[in-house]
Amino acid sequence: MKNIIVTIDGPAASGKEKISKYLSKKWRLKHLDSGIIYRRIALIFLLDKVDISKLDQIKKKIKEITKISFRKSKRIRNQQISKLASRIAIHNCVRDFVNKLQYDFVNKNKNKHGFVIDGRDIGSVVFKKADLKLYIDVNPEIRAKRRYKQLIDSGEKSIYPKILKEIKLRDKQDKLRKNSPLVIPKGAYIIDNNATFNDTVKQINNLFKNL
């Protein structure tokens, strides 16, 4: 199989990260989680007490950032960071900064077998010419239950009805935002992730046979 780019788009808590990790291991692809980058930026903004209601402060801080870790951390996996990341992601200056980091990541790792990259505008905006585009579809109730379990297992207190409400609100914001709204990318395969994980990856692995 040639050096490929696989994009995985979908709403919050749709299982993009788990699917990406599976594909990364099975098909020897380098995994990039764009959500981690936004969360890392959100953490920087939080620690430096940036007033995100003021665009000039956001632009100033973005220009000051010289390095971002792509590593996962429990420190950025909480509701506070998630909400903050969502709020700053609506701005073009932030999205342009993150997109450049993703392009650089791919260019610097071209000797790899390929890439699997997940997010909310990866196939629609960032890598429009990807070899395989996937859009993960899961109903909000199932996503809320999965997110609730994830937070409880990590030791964070959580309430299911509140999570469901937040997920529905996030969906609305992502789909209606002016910059890079959440859409099904042109040419993407819609993957049903409402059932078991095995059912989901079976759908995807069948598509890899044609690459």
Side-chain angles (χ1 to χ4, degrees):
M1 187 166 59
K2 63 176 182 176
N3 187 291
I4 63 169
I5 291 180
V6 179
T7 60
I8 300 183
D9 289 289
S14 56
K16 299 185 294 294
E17 181 185 10
K18 185 176 181 180
I19 292 168
S20 295
K21 285 185 174 181
Y22 167 84
L23 295 178
S24 173
K25 185 176 181 179
K26 179 173 177 60
W27 298 100
R28 294 186 293 130
L29 304 173
K30 190 79 172 174
H31 176 215
L32 173 58
D33 181 350
S34 67
I36 286 179
I37 307 174
Y38 285 102
R39 287 171 178 269
R40 287 284 183 186
I41 295 172
L43 179 61
I44 291 171
F45 279 30
L46 180 65
L47 295 177
D48 291 350
K49 299 179 180 175
V50 176
D51 185 350
I52 64 168
S53 68
K54 297 179 179 179
L55 185 56
D56 60 327
Q57 287 197 28
I58 292 175
K59 289 181 177 180
K60 183 176 183 294
K61 178 52 64 175
I62 284 294
K63 289 180 180 179
E64 293 174 354
I65 299 174
T66 57
K67 189 175 181 181
I68 288 283
S69 171
F70 290 3
R71 293 181 63 184
K72 185 178 178 180
S73 168
K74 286 186 177 180
R75 196 178 187 188
I76 59 174
R77 287 293 179 181
N78 59 62
Q79 289 296 84
Q80 182 184 23
I81 292 296
S82 180
K83 289 178 183 178
L84 184 55
S86 177
R87 291 181 65 188
I88 64 174
I90 65 173
H91 297 292
N92 264 339
C93 61
V94 177
R95 303 199 74 84
D96 289 344
F97 177 73
V98 173
N99 290 350
K100 184 180 184 304
L101 290 175
Q102 294 179 93
Y103 297 141
D104 290 345
F105 177 86
V106 169
N107 289 330
K108 290 176 181 177
N109 291 278
K110 279 188 174 179
N111 60 326
K112 300 296 181 181
H113 193 61
F115 306 87
V116 55
I117 307 167
D118 64 272
R120 290 183 181 81
D121 66 345
I122 305 302
S124 61
V125 175
V126 188
F127 294 100
K128 292 182 178 180
K129 295 182 179 180
D131 299 275
L132 177 62
K133 298 180 182 181
L134 307 175
Y135 182 88
I136 312 302
D137 185 40
V138 194
N139 74 55
E141 289 74 20
I142 291 178
R143 283 187 278 139
K145 288 177 182 177
R146 290 173 179 171
R147 174 59 63 83
Y148 171 78
K149 184 178 185 303
Q150 182 184 49
L151 291 172
I152 292 299
D153 289 346
S154 66
E156 187 173 348
K157 293 182 179 179
S158 189
I159 303 173
Y160 169 76
K162 183 180 179 181
I163 293 176
L164 178 59
K165 182 179 179 180
E166 289 175 348
I167 280 180
K168 288 182 176 180
L169 177 61
R170 180 69 182 272
D171 286 352
K172 184 177 180 180
Q173 292 173 338
D174 285 344
K175 291 175 181 178
L176 296 179
R177 72 182 176 217
K178 182 179 179 180
N179 302 322
S180 301
L182 173 65
V183 297
I184 299 175
K186 183 178 180 180
Y189 292 91
I190 299 176
I191 304 299
D192 184 346
N193 190 28
N194 285 293
T196 68
F197 186 70
N198 285 338
D199 289 334
T200 297
V201 296
K202 186 181 294 184
Q203 297 173 66
I204 299 173
N205 284 332
N206 285 333
L207 297 174
F208 267 78
K209 295 175 183 178
N210 299 319
L211 293 176

